[in-house]
Amino acid sequence: CSNISLCWTKSTDISRAKKFLREYDQQISSVYTAFVTAAWNFNTNITEHNRRIMVNRELASSMKEKELAHRANAEFDWQRVRDNDVVRQFKFLTDIGTAAMKNETKLKRLSDVKSEMSSIYSSAKVCLSDNQCYSLEPGLTRLLSKSRDYEMLLEAWVKWRDATGRHLKPLYSEFVELINEGFRDGGYNDAGDAWRSTYESETFEEDLERLFTQLKPLYYQLHAYVRRKLINIYGEKYFPSSGHIPAHLLGNMWSQTWNRIFDILKPYDIESVDVTATMKQQKYTPLKMFKVSDEFFESLGLEKVPQSFWDHSMIEKPKDREVVCHASAWNFYNNKDFRIKQCTDTTMQDLVTIHHEMGHIQYYLQYRNLPTIYQNGANPGFHEAVGDVLALSVSTPKHLKKIKLLKTAERSKEADINFLLSQSLSSVAFLPFGYLMDQWRWSVFSGETTPDNYNKKWWDLRCKYQGISPPVKRTEEDFDPGAKYHIPANTPYIRYFVSHILMFQFHKALCKEANETGPLHTCDIYQSKRAGKLLGDVLKLGSSKPWKNALELIVGSREIDAKPLMEYFKPLIDWLKEQNSNETIGWNEICPNCATINSSVFLSSIFAFLSFFISLLLC
Ligand SMILES: C[C@H](N[C@H](C(=O)O)[C@@H]1CCCN1C(=O)[C@@H](N)CC(=O)O)C(=O)N1CCC[C@H]1C(=O)O
Ligand SMILES: [Zn+2]
């Protein structure tokens, strides 16, 4: 401490520090409530008026964070306070990210650009050659799930990207400049550096690489099986010799999960574990779907959602206004208001998504009495894993029979393989996508990927890690990452890769706690108060302890480990290897249409060659 006079006035007194923290909590929670309320109003009614209010409230929230962080550093030598919890809270509240941005005009511009990108993405519509116009939900989502018409799927895939990514590219490159400036003012190298710091681990990137490498063989086997099935349906001519699968045939706009084409991949012709049809027959409403999920949490002895949840949530797409349909869970930071916004469709996929969102709500409920600064997941992957863990139990034939969505749930090798394949189409197919999204973004934030090769880098990663290829040539006028919600919404994504591994570790631990003794994939923790207690105790910690402590509490180990995932899918891996015995496993890293040709570069090189050739002829 160089300047002794400053040092002398900086306090290390614990009771003074705790008094400041109480003031901090009271002030920051009220600006957060004001901002979240404005964001909710914009997301559930996209108007310029609501957008402006949200931007102003976000600015006010950043100003308050900046003011309180400044006071904390000026009044306290907080690193030297002799109370670990006080130091942890000060560490978090003085780390304010882009709120530290010196230039307030640019900070407002950052918020404006983000909300403009959100408006473009969420209001995008696409008119197809069937003379129908569709939004993403439910129209294009249903089409991508159900259509088996190659050309129809292709038109929807291309036009969605024309309506979103193409319009977002200039805004996104400006956004990257601004967010990096903000995080640099906040003490980070760039936005990616700041995002990775939330995992409090020096070896985070290496750990991810190791986990992905460990899981690759399983993904390669699944890819080979699915490719064979799709070739049989659509014909060899659509499949490049490089071994890639055309991106638009996998039942999802981003090829991130493949469970919607389970019906054409199903190995054995027995009762389908995709209960969408039964849900429709039984006239399942969105409200009924949410009640099923809430009841599952309650059966574990966890919290039911409060009445205000039912009063204020938006669980169906309104007919009279534009909304952000992408499902999300909301904490209003006032210990009593928690909501979900979802344009619910009556499908099994949406029942799983509801559990995902209700998992966030359960976390909010469990940590609502903690200081606001601790109202986060132990790490972001924890927050994403909660709902998905319960969904592993809900989707078992055993459970679906319990809630009368399946008639039989006989245990047989065929039934097991059908079920495991269906589960792998959500959890295993997702892994490379969950991994590559932020590989792309971190490379953009670091400057390694610049606006003139955004799309090339995107398809290099998609081709390399997912083994999928764009069905038509892509150029740098396209901006395909912008066709995925989390890019314009600026939501980090590696959390979903982490959660897809954590959720199997949690599942294994909770199944043991629930005395479920069969194979891991048949376990259903429904009504186990012991499992619920163990999970609840971890969620109550919020981010008050390092995440490795929270992990150790639930699974007994401090490391993220892919072994439970591999154990869960073991029967399927053996079966796939048999099925693929004469398949070429894998693909060439470079795929057709992927190496996006930058049209201006391409034309100028053609021109240069021709003029050289003509000059040769002349002389
Ligand atoms: C459907 C789900 N929506 C997100 C989620 O629930 O995570 C929404 C949008 C972004 C953040 N978010 C929230 O609700 C946060 N407020 C929760 C929190 O951090 O408290 C989603 O995007 N998913 C689920 C599987 C993979 C991914 C996808 O669909 O690609
Ligand atoms: Zn989530």
Side-chain angles (χ1 to χ4, degrees), residues 30 45 68 165 197 400 468 570 603:
S30 55
N45 185 7
L68 291 169
S197 71
L400 291 172
I468 64 167
K570 178 76 174 71
L603 294 175

Side-chain angles (χ1 to χ4, degrees), residues 150-177:
Y150 185 91
E151 295 306 330
M152 188 77 178
L153 289 166
L154 179 58
E155 188 185 20
W157 189 90
V158 171
K159 289 191 174 173
W160 173 250
R161 281 154 180 77
D162 292 347
T164 52
R166 272 182 173 258
H167 298 292
L168 291 167
K169 181 170 178 176
L171 283 170
Y172 193 74
S173 48
E174 179 186 2
F175 176 79
V176 170
E177 295 308 311

Side-chain angles (χ1 to χ4, degrees), residues 270-271 397-398 401 406-416:
I270 49 179
E271 191 181 16
K398 182 166 71 175
K401 184 162 182 281
L406 265 189
K407 288 191 205 59
T408 61
E410 101 274 8
R411 285 294 316 281
S412 67
K413 181 169 171 15
E414 291 73 17
D416 270 14

Side-chain angles (χ1 to χ4, degrees), residues 398-533:
K398 182 166 71 175
H399 189 81
L400 291 172
K401 184 162 182 281
K402 269 178 210 162
I403 60 174
K404 301 198 181 14
L405 281 174
L406 265 189
K407 288 191 205 59
T408 61
E410 101 274 8
R411 285 294 316 281
S412 67
K413 181 169 171 15
E414 291 73 17
D416 270 14
I417 293 299
N418 265 20
F419 172 67
L420 281 169
L421 183 82
S422 171
Q423 292 292 89
S424 73
L425 296 174
S426 306
S427 305
V428 176
F430 178 80
L431 293 169
F433 182 77
Y435 181 70
L436 71 83
M437 276 277 282
D438 281 350
Q439 300 297 327
W440 180 81
R441 243 181 321 197
W442 296 342
S443 81
V444 168
F445 290 143
S446 71
E448 175 210 328
T449 299
T450 53
D452 56 6
N453 60 13
Y454 277 171
N455 228 34
K456 178 178 179 340
K457 177 70 177 178
W458 173 251
W459 283 109
D460 287 350
L461 291 168
R462 293 268 267 173
C463 296
K464 175 183 175 189
Y465 288 119
Q466 276 188 281
I468 64 167
S469 56
V472 289
K473 203 165 280 312
R474 309 307 284 155
T475 73
E476 288 304 332
E477 277 63 58
D478 299 306
F479 178 52
D480 294 332
K484 173 66 189 170
Y485 172 84
H486 296 67
I487 301 294
N490 196 45
T491 308
Y493 208 85
I494 201 69
R495 58 183 60 180
Y496 300 108
F497 176 74
V498 171
S499 84
H500 271 69
I501 295 168
L502 281 179
M503 68 189 255
F504 288 94
Q505 288 183 264
F506 291 2
H507 185 57
K508 184 178 171 74
L510 296 179
C511 291
K512 185 161 154 262
E513 192 68 13
N515 292 323
E516 280 276 311
T517 51
L520 196 50
H521 69 275
T522 64
C523 160
D524 172 13
I525 62 170
Y526 187 53
Q527 297 171 328
S528 166
K529 299 291 185 284
R530 287 168 47 96
K533 170 92 175 55

Side-chain angles (χ1 to χ4, degrees), residues 256 326-330 353 356-357 360 364 383-384 430 433 484-486 491 493 495-496 500:
Q256 71 184 68
H326 190 88
S328 55
W330 295 66
T353 301
H356 180 92
E357 300 310 331
H360 288 305
Y364 304 151
H383 230 298
E384 300 309 335
F430 178 80
F433 182 77
K484 173 66 189 170
Y485 172 84
H486 296 67
T491 308
Y493 208 85
R495 58 183 60 180
Y496 300 108
H500 271 69

Side-chain angles (χ1 to χ4, degrees), residues 572-588:
L572 180 70
I573 300 171
D574 298 339
W575 183 82
L576 284 171
K577 282 177 181 159
E578 274 167 42
Q579 296 295 312
N580 293 331
S581 47
N582 53 8
E583 287 295 334
T584 313
I585 305 295
W587 53 87
N588 307 337

